[in-house]
Amino acid sequence: MTANNKYKCVNCGEPCSALYRTYGPSVLKLTKCVACKGIVDKYIEYDPVIVMIDLVLMSKEAQRHILYNTDFKTFWKLFIILVMLETYAVWRSDSLFSIAVNTICDIKSSYTINSTNINLPINLSVPESWRNNCRGWVQDSKGDDSDLFIWEKDFYVQFISTFSGIMIFITTVHVLMNVLQSFATNNRGNQNFSVSSKRLLQAFSLANMSTLFALPMLVWGNTDTPPETRLVHYLLVFVYSFIVFCNVFTVLYESPMLITILVLIASNSVKHYTTFHMTPFLRGFVT
Ligand SMILES: [Zn+2]
């Protein structure tokens, strides 16, 4: 891939030097792809709303358009907002991860925290080293008498913890993908390409937008919401988000779907493992 070919065909991913050519002030012709003979990027003529809808529908063409054929400069704002949202959900003990922690650690809901605990039919045996962390997850009541400062400080603790989890997630994906890619290139001939860290963060932010679907429950969920409803909602969001991440990373690394799924399962496990251990560690450190 030469430096000149900075765009990519949205249909097949073939590098391309221009998206359109102009013939005079009002004549503009969209470039055709040399590999698949399709139009390189139909989305440059489309309304942003249509692109948004196609992104929600997990279209790989729309994902390639955003990642390769637009600047997508505001990705870092998106990144920060989404980390804040995830932090808020875990801090409020209102996310799939919190439900898992509450269930594993058997934390029963106390009066002000809306923690969700699912009764499992089997008895979970938690390793002894995890039990200490479980104690760290049991929060003091966020009642009226508790200090607002402590409450706020806990948000920062949770932010660092969530942020570390996400950085670990991104690093794991990148390292695993590069290792697997180097195996694959040996069989497939020399198809050397590297993913820049900026593009990796852009891809992550783009895929992470899928977690916005958890918002309705975060906004309108209240103490009357049955735990099962929460669980089902967050599970659906997780599954949707997982598929979006699969698609985006398949586009980014041009890897087979099965490999991407395995890498994502591994990276998600490492991420949640990090957050699970990081929060109690930081809480012990601060208080
Ligand atoms: Zn093409």
Side-chain angles (χ1 to χ4, degrees), residues 72-84 205:
F72 194 24
K73 276 183 189 148
T74 49
F75 74 94
W76 60 272
K77 287 184 195 165
L78 204 58
F79 182 84
I80 294 170
I81 290 169
L82 292 170
V83 176
M84 296 287 259
S205 310

Side-chain angles (χ1 to χ4, degrees), residues 9-14 33-38 40:
C9 168
V10 294
N11 309 298
C12 65
E14 180 73 17
C33 172
V34 285
C36 70
K37 310 293 177 214
V40 166

Side-chain angles (χ1 to χ4, degrees), residues 6 67-68 195-204 252:
K6 59 177 204 159
L67 284 179
Y68 296 109
V195 176
S196 69
S197 47
K198 183 184 167 196
R199 187 147 284 158
L200 176 61
L201 283 177
Q202 286 178 331
F204 175 82
L252 186 68

